[in-house]
Amino acid sequence: MRDEQNPVSEAAIWIGADVSKSTFDAALARCGQRASSPLSELPARCFVRSPEGVAELLAWLRASGVAPESARMVMEATGRYSVELAAWMAQACPPLSPAIASPHQTAAFIKSLGLRNKTDRMDARALALYGVERRPRAYQPPPACEGELRELVRYRDFLVQQKVAAENRAEEMRDSKYVQRTMRRQIRQLERDIEKTEKEMARVKQATPELENDIELMTSIYGVAFLTAATIRAELGDLRRFEKARQLTAFAGLNPSLRQSGSSVHGRPHISKAGNPRVRRALYLSAMVAIRGDNDFRNDYERLRAQGLSKMAALCAIMRKILVLMRALLISGKPYVPLWKNRPQLQEKMCLEA
């Protein structure tokens, strides 16, 4: 991602926070602190997860001889709990620049410490050391419109899952007419809720010129409809913030992953699946539509299959191409123009065939 102004290198103290619904445990680690030192020696304390608890944390820091302006904070992603705490921290003391780290990365780091016990306080101390060693970037909250669109996208996804489950259950239960009537009524209600949610998503898009422009550019790609574009924009945010295309594909979990040890290679390369599954699901459906049309995506898919790639590997390559193309369109600000339209001879041939 683009290297934004960030006081990471200036932080003298890192605060690790293990966040739960009602409370959060905070621990302090100074820059230069080694993981080999006993974690039990790091000062730690529990606070209420509220703006008042944040004020108590700042007072505790000052009482411990730590200037909050010289500290940074890191916590694991725990949904709304960590996002709210980060917002309160940034409001109470902007220099803290709280970071929200991926649980996969923090869990691997904590496991590497070889801790015998796992408690909230020990996790907070381990997160403080994670901040000292890894210096994660500050969390950048999305605009309100993006947050609203993300909640709508996820709620629609939930409704679709409920509808599929209800349809499967109705298929199995055929002996009771009452159950059949009830299930059909439930399915119809879910369909109405899905339709209303999609209309609300369209309203949010139309109410925000930036979102509307970005989604229109992404839907100019063959196979990408409104729902796919809205999902990508809501879950990944502004694709322009990724400095390189491979950073975007890695963030989405579409980068190739190979397992090799010595002369042993464990299977073929596969995608890492480390990113958001909603993004991959949306891109998968778009890629399936794209390769069935008469376009460049189908040509690339057939070329990859002719080179020996499996159907899924070739399809994943198309998924990556669509995602990278979305980023390129947003950067250029121009809609997608298929390659054949830039070739006069091929364009004339296709016009004659039409």
Side-chain angles (χ1 to χ4, degrees):
M1 300 181 193
R2 299 183 189 279
D3 191 13
E4 301 173 356
Q5 187 67 24
N6 201 340
V8 173
S9 60
E10 301 175 2
I13 297 289
W14 275 90
I15 307 168
D18 186 79
V19 187
S20 63
K21 180 179 180 180
S22 303
T23 62
F24 68 95
D25 286 82
L28 307 180
R30 297 186 179 276
C31 286
Q33 183 87 30
R34 296 185 178 181
S36 58
S37 304
L39 285 185
S40 58
E41 296 179 358
L42 298 182
R45 184 176 167 183
C46 184
F47 302 90
V48 177
R49 195 188 68 87
S50 66
E52 293 74 18
V54 171
E56 290 183 11
L57 169 66
L58 298 178
W60 177 62
L61 291 176
R62 296 187 181 97
S64 302
V66 176
E69 295 76 14
S70 65
R72 287 283 316 284
M73 170 174 272
V74 59
M75 63 191 81
E76 283 184 340
T78 54
R80 184 170 294 277
Y81 301 150
S82 56
V83 171
E84 285 182 345
L85 181 59
W88 295 331
M89 289 288 180
Q91 183 177 6
C93 183
L96 278 177
S97 301
I100 299 180
S102 167
H104 298 288
Q105 297 177 353
T106 56
F109 177 83
I110 294 174
K111 185 177 180 180
S112 70
L113 298 177
L115 301 179
R116 296 180 180 179
N117 301 318
K118 178 175 173 56
T119 64
D120 293 343
R121 188 157 295 188
M122 291 300 290
D123 284 347
R125 289 168 172 150
L127 286 171
L129 286 181
Y130 176 87
V132 169
E133 293 194 10
R134 303 300 172 86
R135 301 173 177 248
R137 296 176 182 272
Y139 170 69
Q140 299 293 333
C145 59
E146 290 186 12
E148 184 179 5
L149 182 61
R150 183 182 297 112
E151 287 193 356
L152 289 170
V153 166
R154 294 182 178 181
Y155 181 59
R156 180 192 176 277
D157 190 45
F158 166 77
L159 291 175
V160 170
Q161 293 177 8
Q162 292 292 309
K163 177 175 175 289
V164 172
E167 290 173 341
N168 293 337
R169 194 178 300 113
E171 185 67 23
E172 295 177 359
M173 298 180 178
R174 296 185 176 182
D175 296 335
S176 171
K177 293 183 179 180
Y178 168 77
V179 172
Q180 282 287 304
R181 288 197 303 270
T182 303
M183 296 300 299
R184 285 197 295 268
R185 185 165 60 248
Q186 180 183 2
I187 292 171
R188 288 195 297 269
Q189 182 60 47
L190 288 170
E191 290 174 344
R192 287 192 291 269
D193 291 342
I194 291 173
E195 183 179 357
K196 291 179 181 178
T197 304
E198 292 176 355
K199 289 181 179 179
E200 187 66 14
M201 292 167 58
R203 183 198 64 78
V204 173
K205 182 203 73 168
Q206 295 172 358
T208 311
E210 182 181 356
L211 277 179
E212 186 171 19
N213 179 69
D214 289 355
I215 290 176
E216 286 183 358
L217 288 174
M218 289 190 284
T219 52
S220 67
I221 303 173
Y222 188 95
V224 177
F226 167 70
L227 291 177
T228 297
T231 300
I232 301 301
R233 187 63 175 81
E235 296 293 344
L236 297 182
D238 189 353
L239 304 186
R240 302 176 188 87
R241 78 180 195 273
F242 295 93
E243 190 174 46
K244 297 181 180 179
R246 64 173 177 266
Q247 293 175 337
L248 171 59
T249 56
F251 188 79
L254 291 173
N255 57 310
S257 176
L258 176 65
R259 297 183 181 272
Q260 180 179 0
S261 178
S263 60
S264 175
V265 179
H266 303 279
R268 295 182 177 181
H270 59 279
I271 60 174
S272 66
K273 294 185 179 180
N276 192 316
R278 293 184 180 87
V279 171
R280 291 192 297 275
R281 185 162 56 246
L283 290 173
Y284 173 82
L285 296 175
S286 292
M288 287 293 292
V289 174
I291 63 175
R292 292 172 182 168
D294 189 2
N295 53 60
D296 300 320
F297 298 113
R298 179 180 179 179
N299 296 336
D300 291 338
Y301 176 80
E302 292 177 349
R303 175 177 55 80
L304 293 172
R305 290 285 291 134
Q307 294 175 357
L309 266 68
S310 64
K311 292 182 179 179
M312 184 54 67
L315 193 63
C316 288
I318 302 302
M319 292 165 59
R320 283 195 298 272
K321 180 175 180 178
I322 292 176
L323 183 59
V324 170
L325 186 56
M326 286 178 174
R327 170 182 171 272
L329 295 181
L330 296 184
I331 293 175
S332 67
K334 299 179 181 178
Y336 175 60
V337 178
L339 290 178
W340 66 266
K341 289 190 176 181
N342 294 326
R343 305 174 193 155
Q345 296 178 350
L346 183 56
Q347 182 177 3
E348 181 181 356
K349 177 182 177 181
M350 295 189 70
C351 291
L352 292 175
E353 292 176 353

